[in-house]
Amino acid sequence: MRIQNFPVDSRATLVKRCRISNDVNIITFECPAIAATAKPGNFVNIKVSDATHPLLRRPFSIHNVYSSFVEVMVKSIGLGTTQLCNTPEGFEVMMLGPLGNSFDLMSQPFHTAVLVSGGIGTAPMLFLEKTVVATGKEVIHLVGGRTKKDLLIQDLANCRISTDDGSAGLKGNVVELLHQELPDLKKKGLLKIFACGTNAMLKALAGFCIEHQLPCDLSLESVMGCGVGICYGCCVEVKDENGVSKTILLCQDGPIINSKSLAN
Ligand code: FES
């Protein structure tokens, strides 16, 4: 069962910026109101500056939560994200959250959580790892990237990796890594897969999980506007339980969906 939060729009003070690769930073905000209720898989919408450009807030998965702090992993891919990565410590932004639903840790029994991620899709996995481990279950990460430099695995435990160019781990994608690791993973009892990455990767993973009867939650990506169901900027087509296409608002009915909703 996934429980929606009641989001708050709060001032958040940037207290730390940590560059972890050429274009990726982990940014820590003090924001007690959001830290108190956030769950793994939730996201926040951040107004990166007081100026009118960029006008819209930017959505970020919650990377980590501790005490009164909320961390996001930000890749510089445009004006808003670059501006946020250059924001000085001590600056205040407006942060709306926690938004969206969360990974489902309750509906299906499992002994081991397999956290599958690619590139910046690794963003929500630290918070999820900590939450699962706190319940006494094991976590194993399968992390993919184009090259060794694209692997964002700092602070994660139990990582098995793949790269497209073979510069680290298995040469191939992260779905192929899951295929390779599955016999070993199955020795650990009931598995549940939790994944975040490009929508193409998630679609391939959804098909794999259905074929192998693995329960799987996917965190989808979409353009976001308001984050609260008003602008209809985040419509995504998925399948209902009868295989019929339907449109959902990812900010309201996601970003986490069951893999069966994405498979053909
Ligand atoms: Fe506006 Fe979803 S982002 S409706």
Side-chain angles (χ1 to χ4, degrees):
M1 184 173 62
R2 297 183 172 99
I3 299 168
Q4 295 281 357
N5 295 297
F6 293 101
V8 295
D9 196 11
S10 174
R11 288 206 166 274
T13 305
L14 194 157
V15 295
K16 193 169 68 173
R17 259 189 305 135
C18 180
R19 180 173 290 247
I20 59 167
S21 78
N22 270 352
D23 55 357
V24 179
N25 282 265
I26 291 174
I27 304 181
T28 307
F29 294 93
E30 183 162 27
C31 191
I34 294 177
T37 58
K39 298 184 185 67
N42 290 158
F43 66 101
V44 290
N45 255 7
I46 297 177
K47 180 86 174 76
V48 300
S49 84
D50 293 333
T52 52
H53 188 59
L55 181 63
L56 294 177
R57 296 183 185 221
R58 296 290 188 270
F60 299 96
S61 293
I62 296 178
H63 171 64
N64 192 19
V65 170
Y66 59 94
S67 180
S68 59
F69 301 102
V70 175
E71 291 186 327
V72 293
M73 188 186 278
V74 182
K75 180 170 183 162
S76 301
I77 52 170
L79 176 66
T81 48
T82 302
Q83 212 166 320
L84 189 56
C85 286
N86 292 326
T87 299
E89 292 176 2
F91 194 83
E92 281 191 340
V93 300
M94 291 306 297
M95 181 182 285
L96 177 65
L99 296 169
N101 60 9
S102 54
F103 286 109
D104 182 2
L105 303 178
M106 305 293 287
S107 297
Q108 297 112 343
F110 64 93
H111 301 111
T112 299
V114 182
L115 278 47
V116 181
S117 60
I120 194 68
T122 307
M125 295 311 185
L126 178 59
F127 189 19
L128 179 58
E129 176 196 307
K130 287 169 52 179
T131 305
V132 172
V133 167
T135 67
K137 292 174 178 161
E138 188 176 4
V139 168
I140 297 194
H141 291 272
L142 305 185
V143 184
R146 281 176 303 166
T147 72
K148 189 177 178 180
K149 287 183 186 166
D150 300 311
L151 297 167
L152 304 170
I153 55 176
Q154 62 295 315
D155 298 327
L156 301 180
N158 294 334
C159 291
R160 303 176 188 186
I161 57 184
S162 67
T163 49
D164 295 347
D165 68 352
S167 51
L170 175 77
K171 181 174 183 184
N173 65 43
V174 79
V175 180
E176 292 168 318
L177 179 61
L178 175 58
H179 185 256
Q180 175 185 276
E181 296 291 329
L182 195 55
D184 182 51
L185 292 170
K186 280 186 170 174
K187 294 176 192 159
K188 297 177 178 296
L190 289 175
L191 304 175
K192 179 162 182 181
I193 314 295
F194 301 86
C196 185
T198 64
N199 287 354
M201 173 202 127
L202 296 181
K203 196 162 179 60
L205 182 66
F208 181 91
C209 287
I210 287 171
E211 186 186 336
H212 292 268
Q213 299 185 318
L214 296 165
C216 175
D217 275 7
L218 307 171
S219 177
L220 289 195
E221 285 180 350
S222 158
V223 173
M224 294 272 183
C226 65
V228 291
I230 297 170
C231 73
Y232 281 63
C234 63
C235 294
V236 172
E237 196 167 299
V238 296
K239 299 274 169 53
D240 69 14
E241 51 282 0
N242 300 312
V244 177
S245 292
K246 65 173 184 176
T247 301
I248 62 169
L249 293 180
L250 207 62
C251 69
Q252 296 285 282
D253 304 315
I256 315 299
I257 65 166
N258 187 292
S259 58
K260 292 176 183 165
S261 306
L262 200 61
N264 289 319

